[in-house]
Amino acid sequence: MTLERRLAPLGAARLSALAAGMALFVGASQASAETVVKWLHLETVPAHLKMWEDIAAKYESEHSGVDIQLQFLENEAFKAKLPTLLQSDDAPHFFYSWGGGVLKQQAETGALMDLTEAMQADGGAWEKSYNPAAVKGLTFDGRISAVPFKMGTISFFYNKELFQKAGVKAEDIKTWADFLKAVETLKGAGITPIAGGGGDKWPLHFYLSYLVMRNGGQSVFENAKNNEGEGFLDPAIIKAGEQLAELGKLEPFQGGYLGATWPQTLGLFGDGKAAMILSFEHTEATQRANSGDGKGLAPENIGRFPFPAVEGGAGAISDTLGGLNGWAVTKNAPPEALDFLRYLTNAENERLMASIGMIVPVALGAEDGIANPLLRAAADQLAASTWHQNYFDQDLGPSVGRVVNDVSVEIVSGQMSAEEGARMIQDARELE
C-alpha cells in the first residue's frame, strides 16, 4: 500500500501538520513505471486530497507506463520554495499557478513550456474545451502559459448565529458605510467582527484591492498597473487606503491578528470566534479543515455577501476580485504531463471536483456539477461579473505585489498613511 492510498483517512490536524512541516509526496515511484510525472500543489482539505488521489489513480490504471507523483506544500512554503525548485533538477513537471504577472515573469525566465501549439492542435480542441475568458487570462503576448483549472472570487463569509446575536442583517450591508456600522455593532455585542490574517499579509490585501476597485473602477487600476496617468497616486487609490485605515481604527480583527497565518485565521472563523472572514469561494471546506474539531461551522450557519460598494465610487458591486488559476508546465516536462493535464481538467473531472465544493470549474459543461449553495453563489456572481480582476499581488508581479501586501498591513494597522502607502507602491512600479 503506497502513501497516497493511506493519505485519505488522516485527520485534519495531522494532515495540516504534515503539510506544513514537510513536503508530502503522494505516490511512491513504482519500479515498473516508465515515466514519472511530478505534480506540485498546495492543499490541506482531506476530501480534496482524496479527489486528487482518485483522479491520479484512475489515470494510472489506464496508462500503465505512467506514475503520477503528487507533492503538496502549505501555501507559504509553496511560494517560498517554488522559485528555487524551478531552477533545480527537482523542478515539478507542472504546478499550481495564480496567473497574472507572477506567471508572466516565470514564463519570461524560460522556466515554463509554451503551451500554445499543444492546446491549439487539432483545430484547437483542447483550448476550446475551456471558458474563453480563462484561457485569455493565462495568455501573454498571444502565448498560452498555463492550462486553465478554476475561477474564483473573494467575498465575505459570515456566521449567521453571531450576526443574529448582534442584530446584524447581512442583506443590509450594501455600502462601505453599512459595513463599518456592522463592525461597530458586532463589537458592541462583544463579538470579534472579522478574522484577520496579518501574518501572511496577502489576506489583508484583499481589502485594499477591493477598495481600489470600488473607488476607482477598472480604468484607474489599469492606468496604475500600466504606469500611466497618476499611477498609484490617483486620488481614488489614496481614498481606498484612507478607508482601509478607517476600518483599522475600529480594531475589527482578533487580538494578535498581525501574527496570524491564513490557516489560523480560517480556524478562528471555523471555531466561531469571529463573525466574518473575507475569503475564497471554497471557504466552507477550508474553515472546516482548519477548525479545532475538524468540523467547523455547519454549512447552514454560513452566509455570504459581496464586498460592499463605495458611495460615489466609479466601481460597481458586480466587479469581482479573485483567482484565475491554472497549471503551469515546466520546460522539461514529458509529453505524458500534458496528456494527464488534459485529462485532469476535462469536463468530467472538473464536474467531480465541483460536486464536492472544490472549484468553480472552467471546463465547458462542468458547471452543472456545482451542488454546494455557497459555491453556486460564487459561480453565479462570477457569471454576472462586470469586471473580474486577478489578485493584485499576483497581477502586478512579485516585486510590486509584495509591496502591495506590505502596505495593506501597514495601513490597516496604523503604521503608515494611505498616501505613504500609495507612494511606496508607485515607487516599486517605477523601479520595475
Side-chain angles (χ1 to χ4, degrees):
M1 181 181 291
T2 57
L3 178 58
E4 77 257 37
R5 310 304 177 224
R6 296 196 301 269
L7 182 59
L10 288 175
R14 174 62 175 155
L15 179 59
S16 179
L18 282 170
M22 61 176 287
L24 180 60
F25 281 93
V26 182
S29 181
Q30 302 170 7
S32 61
E34 297 172 3
T35 303
V36 169
V37 175
K38 296 184 290 184
W39 172 10
L40 179 65
H41 192 20
L42 62 159
E43 185 62 78
T44 58
V45 178
H48 298 181
L49 290 163
K50 180 65 163 55
M51 177 63 74
W52 297 129
E53 173 198 321
D54 289 347
I55 291 173
K58 184 178 179 183
Y59 182 87
E60 289 173 339
S61 71
E62 298 170 356
H63 300 79
S64 59
V66 180
D67 174 19
I68 308 295
Q69 294 187 356
L70 288 75
Q71 181 185 9
F72 294 102
L73 295 175
E74 184 273 330
N75 190 300
E76 296 308 306
F78 178 97
K79 291 178 179 178
K81 294 183 178 183
L82 183 60
T84 301
L85 281 174
L86 291 180
Q87 302 301 320
S88 75
D89 294 335
D90 294 324
H93 292 136
F94 68 93
F95 61 91
Y96 184 79
S97 172
W98 289 271
V102 174
L103 176 66
K104 184 174 186 289
Q105 186 177 90
Q106 289 166 344
E108 289 171 346
T109 66
L112 305 185
M113 182 183 295
D114 183 342
L115 301 175
T116 310
E117 291 184 10
M119 293 187 67
Q120 293 181 350
D122 301 320
W126 189 8
E127 178 184 2
K128 292 175 182 177
S129 67
Y130 306 111
N131 180 324
V135 178
K136 181 180 179 181
L138 298 170
T139 300
F140 307 101
D141 301 321
R143 313 305 294 176
I144 303 174
S145 295
V147 176
F149 166 47
K150 67 173 184 175
M151 294 181 73
T153 185
I154 299 296
S155 58
F156 277 106
F157 292 81
Y158 68 96
N159 183 317
K160 292 181 179 179
E161 291 180 1
L162 293 182
F163 263 43
Q164 185 176 21
K165 179 181 177 181
V168 174
K169 295 182 179 180
E171 58 269 26
D172 292 340
I173 302 176
K174 303 295 185 184
T175 67
W176 183 245
D178 295 334
F179 179 74
L180 296 181
K181 181 180 178 181
V183 167
E184 292 179 311
T185 302
L186 287 161
K187 286 205 67 164
I191 297 168
T192 298
I194 312 171
D200 289 335
K201 297 187 178 181
W202 55 262
L204 297 184
H205 109 286
F206 295 154
Y207 292 87
L208 181 60
S209 301
Y210 254 132
L211 286 168
V212 168
M213 292 173 65
R214 295 292 188 258
N215 280 283
Q218 188 170 5
S219 62
V220 165
F221 176 73
E222 290 295 333
N223 284 341
K225 175 182 173 180
N226 296 319
N227 212 14
E228 297 175 353
E230 296 180 81
F232 284 96
L233 293 174
D234 188 284
I237 295 179
I238 294 174
K239 183 180 178 181
E242 292 171 345
Q243 290 166 334
L244 180 59
E246 185 181 12
L247 173 64
K249 289 177 182 177
L250 297 179
E251 298 183 348
F253 305 116
Q254 76 277 14
Y257 80 96
L258 287 175
T261 66
W262 184 240
Q264 290 171 337
T265 306
L266 286 164
L268 187 82
F269 180 72
D271 291 338
K273 296 180 179 179
M276 292 181 282
I277 187 170
L278 184 58
S279 185
F280 304 95
E281 64 281 352
H282 56 295
T283 291
E284 183 197 330
T286 53
Q287 62 86 27
R288 183 168 59 248
N290 287 281
S291 64
D293 61 4
K295 297 179 181 179
L297 300 180
E300 59 271 18
N301 190 30
I302 302 175
R304 179 185 181 280
F305 61 90
F307 196 94
V310 169
E311 293 184 47
I317 199 169
S318 52
D319 294 340
T320 51
L321 172 77
L324 170 55
N325 304 103
W327 303 109
V329 182
T330 51
K331 60 183 179 182
N332 294 323
E336 289 83 355
L338 294 183
D339 188 64
F340 176 68
L341 271 174
R342 187 168 185 165
Y343 172 80
L344 174 66
T345 58
N346 67 25
E348 178 183 355
N349 283 325
E350 291 233 322
R351 187 177 294 112
L352 285 173
M353 289 183 266
S355 72
I356 66 167
M358 284 178 71
I359 64 169
V360 175
V362 294
L364 296 177
E367 63 278 355
D368 60 6
I370 302 175
N372 181 288
L374 291 170
L375 200 65
R376 169 52 64 186
D380 292 344
Q381 185 183 11
L382 282 166
S385 176
T386 44
W387 163 35
H388 185 64
Q389 172 57 46
N390 193 7
Y391 309 113
F392 281 21
D393 63 341
Q394 295 295 321
D395 196 30
L396 294 170
S399 57
V400 180
R402 192 178 306 112
V403 175
V404 170
N405 291 340
D406 290 343
V407 161
S408 298
V409 174
E410 297 279 313
I411 290 176
V412 78
S413 60
Q415 301 175 65
M416 176 182 291
S417 72
E419 190 164 355
E420 288 170 335
R423 168 55 67 188
M424 282 191 67
I425 300 171
Q426 180 62 24
D427 288 348
R429 190 75 185 93
E430 291 176 357
L431 287 172
E432 277 199 322

